[in-house]
Every structure is written in structure tokens, then in C-alpha cells.
Amino acid sequence: MATITRYPFVRHLRAAPTAHVVQMAGGRVRRSGVGLAFWFRPLSAVLSEVPVDDRELPLVAHARTADLQEVTAQVTVSYRFADPELATQRLDLGIDPATGRWTATPLEQVAHLLGELAAGHVMDAVAEMTLPEAVATATGALGVRVGAALRADERVTATGLEVLGVRVRGIRADADLERALQTPAREAAQSEADRSTYERRALAVERERAIAENELATRIELATREQQLVAQEGANARARADEAAAAALIEARAKAERQRVLATAAADAVRVQGEAEGAAERARLTAFADVPTEVLRTLALRELAGHLPEVGQLTVTPDVLTGVLAGMTGR
């Protein structure tokens, strides 16, 4: 928007760098250019301001496909005023000399014009497609087609406009139709997900089986080693028992041999002692062979007296004494 400074009887206008200002007086163009700054008389000057920057026009176009299904296209049209002076002749772009604001709504007129034209070209393009084709079509190619159609339209060039490009952001169908169209893809994706899940489960089962087999093999190996250990321990125990039995046998044999030797020695000692005692007895008897009987009796009494118990008191009667004396004298 131009900046207008008010002074008595005159005004000063300063335009923006992106605004083309056209000043007319008496039906003739007095000034025309971008970024102008000039003095003018408000009672005789007719001012128009045309934006020359690139502008974006978003719109929603409703269309029907070849199979009679309603769709909605989101379209953005890029445009600019290529011939500002021509635009001032076709559109009301005049500004108030006091405020610098547009006296009408020229951009709304441009939006209505481009919107109707773009919607018509979108409808023509979509009418050649079925619903699946329209929803799945490449929006870039559709935007190029609509842009080319707008640039070739005489009503656009006759208004001083230039279409820079058209972008179609997407074509949407009714929500129920979109869900129906998405169902096969969703089912395929779900099937792929299920397949992946089953494969993961199968892989997990296979890994669990391998782990179980490894555990079983480990347990078998441990059991085999334990069996070997038990067998080895049994063999060691038997060997120790055999060794102990052999040692005990050797000890018993040695003990029996010692006892035999001791018994033999004892028997020999007894025999020798007996022989000695017999010899002594024979010698003693031989010595007593020539001794008189009375002497032998006396020795016997003496030997007997040595073995008699101690007698505290002894009473000798005549009868006892007579018998003893008679025995001693042999009478």
C-alpha cells in the first residue's frame, strides 16, 4: 500500500518497491512505474496501484470422476500482474488519494477469476479419470496440465495476469470411499505384517528349539560325564578295597606267621624246660635211689612241713605221738 502524506492543496505519494503506480490526469497517463514518489493534486489526479510481487491463491476445486464419484482437489495458483497498465484498465485498482487504500476489492476479483478458471480445468482433467486413478494420480502432472491451460486462457492474459505455476496438493474422495479404496492396501500391509509376525514367531520357535536341543545335548553330555565319574569313582573304590584287602591279608598272614613263630618258640621253650625238668627229676631220683627209706621219709616230712599252713597251737596226744614214732621207726 502506498504512503500518502497530506499537505494543503497537494499530496505526496511514496510507493512500495513491489507496487506499480499509475497516475492519470485528464484521461491520460501522467506517471507509471514501480516504487515512484511524486507530488500530485488530489482533485485532478486518478491513482491506481498494482502489486507486482508474486502471489499465491489457494483454492478448493470440486470435481466428478468418470465413474461419477465426487472428489475434492486442493490447488494453489501462483500468479503476478505482468501488465500493470492493462490490469488498471480491466480491474478497479484505484486508490483513495487521501489514505492510499484501494477503493474496491481487486484481489478478490482476481481470486474469483483464477479460482473459477482453475476449478474448471481441474474438473475437465478429473472427468477423464476413474476414482482410483484420480486419487492415485501424480499431482505434479495434473498441476502442469492446469497451469498450461490457465496460461493459454485469453481471459487471463487480457486481464494483465501471468500464471507462474499451479500446484495440486492432493485429490481426496469421500471418507467412506477413501477407506474402501485404502482397504486393499491396508489388507496387503496387514498381510505383510502378519507374515512378518509369523516369520518372527517361526524364527523364535526355531531358535527356542535350537536352544532346547543345545540344553538337551548339554544335559546328555553332563549325564555321560557323570556316569563316567561314577564309574571311575566305583573303580577307584574297588581298587582301594582290593588294596585294603590285600594289605589286610598280608597283615593277617604276617600276624599268623608271628603267632606260629611265637607258638613254635613257646613250644620249644616248654619242651626244653620239660626236658630240663625231666632230666633234673631223673637226676634227683637217681640220687635218691641209694638213700635209705627213713631218710627219704624225713626229707618228705621236711618238704611237707615247708608247705603246711601256719599253725598257731598244736595239741599232741599220746596216740598221735605213738603212731608217728612207730611210723618213723618202722615198727
Side-chain angles (χ1 to χ4, degrees):
M1 183 181 68
T3 301
I4 296 179
T5 306
R6 302 175 62 182
Y7 294 95
F9 307 109
V10 293
R11 301 282 190 275
H12 183 271
L13 181 144
R14 186 176 68 252
T18 57
H20 187 106
V21 176
V22 178
Q23 178 189 9
M24 298 183 66
R28 292 182 304 170
V29 177
R30 300 291 300 273
R31 292 185 179 88
S32 178
V34 178
L36 297 179
F38 57 88
W39 296 90
F40 66 92
R41 297 178 60 182
L43 296 180
S44 60
V46 177
L47 303 175
S48 298
E49 184 181 19
V50 183
V52 293
D53 56 338
D54 297 344
R55 292 185 172 267
E56 301 284 338
L57 175 64
L59 58 97
V60 176
H62 298 277
R64 179 175 293 184
T65 62
D67 49 1
L68 304 179
Q69 300 297 327
E70 296 289 337
V71 294
T72 302
Q74 297 178 344
V75 183
T76 300
V77 179
S78 300
Y79 70 96
R80 70 184 184 90
F81 288 91
D83 191 345
E85 293 185 7
L86 178 60
T88 59
Q89 298 174 10
R90 303 299 300 270
L91 300 172
D92 187 1
L93 294 165
I95 60 175
D96 187 349
T99 61
R101 298 180 181 275
W102 278 315
T103 57
T105 56
L107 296 183
E108 293 182 3
Q109 297 175 14
V110 173
H112 180 74
L113 173 64
L114 291 179
E116 291 294 330
L117 294 176
H121 293 304
V122 170
M123 292 176 63
D124 294 340
V126 172
E128 300 174 359
M129 309 175 188
T130 61
L131 179 61
E133 293 173 350
V135 174
T137 188
T139 56
L142 181 60
V144 171
R145 176 176 175 178
V146 174
L150 287 176
R151 282 188 289 271
D153 197 308
E154 294 181 357
R155 286 170 292 183
V156 175
T157 56
T159 312
L161 298 173
E162 179 184 0
V163 174
L164 302 177
V166 176
R167 299 190 304 276
V168 179
R169 289 178 291 176
I171 298 177
R172 304 291 301 273
D174 183 73
D176 295 335
L177 288 176
E178 281 198 353
R179 282 194 295 270
L181 293 175
Q182 293 169 359
T183 298
R186 289 180 177 176
E187 291 295 334
Q190 186 63 41
S191 299
E192 183 66 20
D194 293 341
R195 186 181 64 81
S196 300
T197 301
Y198 297 149
E199 289 181 354
R200 288 196 300 271
R201 289 180 179 177
L203 181 59
V205 170
E206 181 65 22
R207 290 179 177 175
E208 290 178 358
R209 184 184 65 80
I211 293 173
E213 289 181 353
N214 291 335
E215 291 179 351
L216 181 59
T218 303
R219 292 175 61 185
I220 292 174
E221 181 66 21
L222 292 176
T224 302
R225 292 186 179 181
E226 184 177 2
Q227 182 180 4
Q228 294 175 356
L229 178 61
V230 170
Q232 186 63 40
E233 289 180 349
N236 294 339
R238 287 192 299 272
R240 286 194 293 269
D242 293 341
E243 293 294 333
L249 179 61
I250 294 173
E251 184 178 359
R253 289 178 179 177
K255 184 176 181 182
E257 184 65 22
R258 285 196 301 272
Q259 291 179 353
R260 187 183 64 78
V261 172
L262 291 175
T264 302
D268 291 342
V270 171
R271 181 177 55 78
V272 171
Q273 184 179 0
E275 290 178 354
E277 289 178 354
E281 186 66 22
R282 284 192 302 271
R284 189 171 62 83
L285 291 177
T286 302
F288 288 157
D290 298 331
V291 177
T293 305
E294 291 78 5
V295 177
L296 293 175
R297 288 195 184 104
T298 302
L299 292 173
L301 288 174
R302 189 180 63 181
E303 185 71 21
L304 177 63
H307 292 84
L308 288 176
E310 183 180 356
V311 178
Q313 294 179 356
L314 178 63
T315 303
V316 179
T317 62
D319 296 335
V320 174
L321 183 60
T322 301
V324 171
L325 291 177
M328 293 178 63
T329 57
R331 297 179 180 179

